[in-house]
Amino acid sequence: MSTPVAIRGGIFDLQLTNAYRGVAILFVMSQHVGGALGTNILTPLGGIGVAIFLLLSGYGLSESYKAKGLDGWIKKKMIRVWIPFLCTYVIIFALREDCGWIKFVRQVLTIDRSEYWYVDYILRCYMVFYIAYRWLYKYRWWLLGGFALYSFLLTHSGLMEEQSLSFCFGILLSERKELFLSGKKFMMFGIASFVIGLICLFIKQLPEIRVYEGCLLFSFVQLGIKLPLAIGVIFMLWKLPRKWVISPLLLLSGTLSYELYLVHWQFIPFVGQYATSALAMIVMAYCFAYGMHHALSLIYFKKSSKN
């Protein structure tokens, strides 16, 4: 959910990329709110939103590397991703009686998995990218491929398994634009991805597949849903009239996407059974996320001014 470098005037230009992120965080929050209200009809949206975030992160890191290299890269990413996570966890630690010091430290350092699995995973993606592009550039795809296999086979997390290709595929899009992102090719690629995602979504509903939930076979079907539909959603947003996509709500949601991810999860237990309480929770999440984003922006600005 970090901000990727964007190509102005293209499929991933600055405003469109922000809108994609806005749609992605709305998908994630919709799934969580829907689950709290007792419906699973929105369940696929959360994984699709996460796939969009990871794809944009991989794409953005690759574009940033081509433009600026890796100078100050770790410091910048740690500040943007880890510091808001730390601030959120400090508040959680202060309010919860079941969070001891050892558990707090291990989860903040992402040694143990926390309820914010996405943060744990994206930080690992960043470190693999840095190692690959700093020291093993010639063999970067071996390392990235190995990381994708690790994510699918060894994390023992359905959430990570179904997203195992999303980050790496974003890097591939950046390095092979001519294969995917030219106008006609992207149109064919976007439509094909959307169709594949829908087919896998249908397959997932079959009782013969449902019995494997929690197994790698089920995660493989999930992988065939999340990344293809994420690409399909980006394609549809790109094809829609720009004035529909570049809306104030989507741009605000995209700007606050990471803070919204961190904040909204803590409000989910208070949703209750009514749509009005869910709406109130969403409004509160936006308010808290805006406050966090503004405060951190001031800190970043002062820090960059001193430097």
Side-chain angles (χ1 to χ4, degrees):
M1 301 169 194
S2 56
T3 306
V5 173
I7 301 175
R8 294 185 179 277
I11 298 166
F12 292 100
D13 75 20
L14 188 62
Q15 286 190 317
L16 280 177
T17 300
N18 209 25
Y20 300 156
R21 289 163 51 230
V23 170
I25 191 60
L26 290 175
F27 277 7
V28 172
M29 291 196 299
S30 296
Q31 183 212 335
H32 292 159
V33 172
L37 291 173
T39 177
N40 62 1
I41 193 172
L42 302 176
T43 298
L45 293 182
I48 296 168
V50 171
I52 292 173
F53 282 127
L54 288 170
L55 185 150
L56 292 178
S57 293
Y59 182 89
L61 289 181
S62 178
E63 291 296 298
S64 177
Y65 172 79
K66 288 187 283 187
K68 307 173 186 176
L70 294 174
D71 293 339
W73 187 85
I74 286 185
K75 186 177 180 181
K76 180 181 178 182
K77 290 302 175 184
M78 288 296 286
I79 289 175
R80 181 68 186 95
V81 176
W82 190 73
I83 296 301
F85 172 62
L86 174 63
C87 294
T88 304
Y89 237 79
V90 167
I91 297 172
I92 294 173
F93 176 76
L95 295 178
R96 290 186 179 176
E97 297 179 356
D98 62 339
C99 189
W101 276 104
I102 295 178
K103 180 180 178 181
F104 169 78
V105 172
R106 290 181 65 88
Q107 290 190 346
V108 161
L109 296 177
T110 70
I111 297 172
D112 293 340
R113 290 177 189 167
S114 69
E115 57 194 291
Y116 291 107
W117 74 270
Y118 175 85
V119 178
D120 302 340
Y121 187 64
I122 196 65
L123 287 174
R124 285 165 173 74
C125 291
Y126 286 170
M127 292 308 300
V128 169
F129 180 89
Y130 183 83
I131 293 169
Y133 281 73
R134 172 66 76 184
W135 295 299
L136 299 171
Y137 185 81
K138 184 178 179 180
Y139 305 102
R140 65 193 183 283
W141 281 107
W142 287 101
L143 181 57
L144 291 170
F147 177 68
L149 284 175
Y150 158 79
S151 299
F152 186 75
L153 296 175
L154 300 176
T155 58
H156 306 294
S157 166
L159 294 170
M160 294 183 187
E161 290 164 4
E162 69 186 39
Q163 300 294 347
S164 56
L165 294 180
S166 301
F167 179 77
C168 295
F169 194 79
I171 299 173
L172 183 64
L173 284 181
S174 171
E175 292 199 2
R176 296 290 185 267
K177 291 189 183 77
E178 71 281 0
L179 293 179
F180 299 104
L181 300 184
S182 61
K184 289 184 178 179
K185 288 183 179 179
F186 186 62
M187 183 175 296
M188 295 173 59
F189 177 55
I191 294 172
S193 296
F194 197 75
V195 171
I196 291 170
L198 290 178
I199 291 173
C200 289
L201 183 60
F202 172 78
I203 292 173
K204 175 189 170 184
Q205 311 309 319
L206 298 175
E208 294 84 355
I209 298 298
R210 283 286 184 180
V211 297
Y212 290 100
E213 190 166 356
C215 301
L216 286 178
L217 175 61
F218 192 78
S219 293
F220 184 76
V221 176
Q222 290 277 62
L223 190 154
I225 297 170
K226 304 305 166 57
L227 179 58
L229 285 184
I231 296 168
V233 167
I234 290 174
F235 166 73
M236 288 192 298
L237 292 171
W238 174 63
K239 290 300 292 181
L240 285 173
R242 192 178 180 91
K243 63 182 179 180
W244 294 4
V245 179
I246 309 300
S247 67
L249 175 61
L250 290 184
L251 293 181
L252 175 64
S253 300
T255 300
L256 302 179
S257 58
Y258 185 53
E259 290 80 5
L260 279 170
Y261 164 72
L262 294 173
V263 168
H264 90 279
W265 181 247
Q266 300 305 319
F267 287 101
I268 293 298
F270 304 105
V271 168
Q273 300 178 343
Y274 303 101
T276 51
S277 61
L279 179 61
M281 182 281 295
I282 292 172
V283 172
M284 290 178 64
Y286 270 90
C287 292
F288 275 84
Y290 180 82
M292 178 186 289
H293 181 83
H294 183 67
L296 291 171
S297 296
L298 290 176
I299 294 172
Y300 302 154
F301 177 77
K302 289 181 180 179
K303 192 173 183 66
S304 61
S305 297
K306 289 181 181 180
N307 295 336

